[in-house]
Amino acid sequence: QVQLVESGGGLVQAGGSLRLSCAASGRTFSRDAMGWFRQAPKKEREFVATISWGSRTTSYADSVKGRFTISRDSAKNTVFLQMNSLKPEDTAVYFCAAGIQGRTTPTTYDYWGQGTQVTVSS
């Protein structure tokens, strides 16, 4: 079993940056693909980014390409989401997830954190 805890969310002005972290415990973490998803009020949970277990491949939603970067430090059991040039439409609760395969559909992931709030003003 894997336990995931997100951190790093907060309030930032449009154009600013935040780095989200996802700390994992559990012996399967280093072999899992990881994903970031987000959910805004009244909206469905949507894909943001994924990274393979070996960090060989990454994938991003079109809405965040060129602005967000996903990375992982397997030795520290941590996944990151660097968010630059933030826009008000990025406001959402951000969740990290772990699964055997790194896909864009939330139902393909086995473990989820409880989320961290990101609010972008203006």
Side-chain angles (χ1 to χ4, degrees), residues 6 23 32 41 62 64 75 91 93 96 115 122:
E6 302 94 338
D32 282 343
D62 288 342
V64 306
T91 296
V93 177
C96 66
S122 298

Side-chain angles (χ1 to χ4, degrees), residues 21 28 38 76 78 113:
S21 298
T28 66
R38 66 188 183 186
K76 298 180 179 179
T78 304

Side-chain angles (χ1 to χ4, degrees), residues 8-12 18 20 83 86 90-94 116-120:
L11 175 64
V12 65
L18 286 173
L20 305 183
M83 306 186 295
L86 283 162
D90 295 317
T91 296
V93 177
Y94 283 70
T116 185
Q117 177 71 47
V118 172
T119 303
V120 185

Side-chain angles (χ1 to χ4, degrees), residues 38 47-49 58-69 82 84-85 87 90:
R38 66 188 183 186
F47 162 74
V48 176
T58 58
S59 182
Y60 297 91
D62 288 342
S63 60
V64 306
K65 284 181 179 177
R67 300 189 297 120
F68 291 10
T69 303
Q82 178 66 46
N84 298 324
S85 301
K87 305 174 181 179
D90 295 317

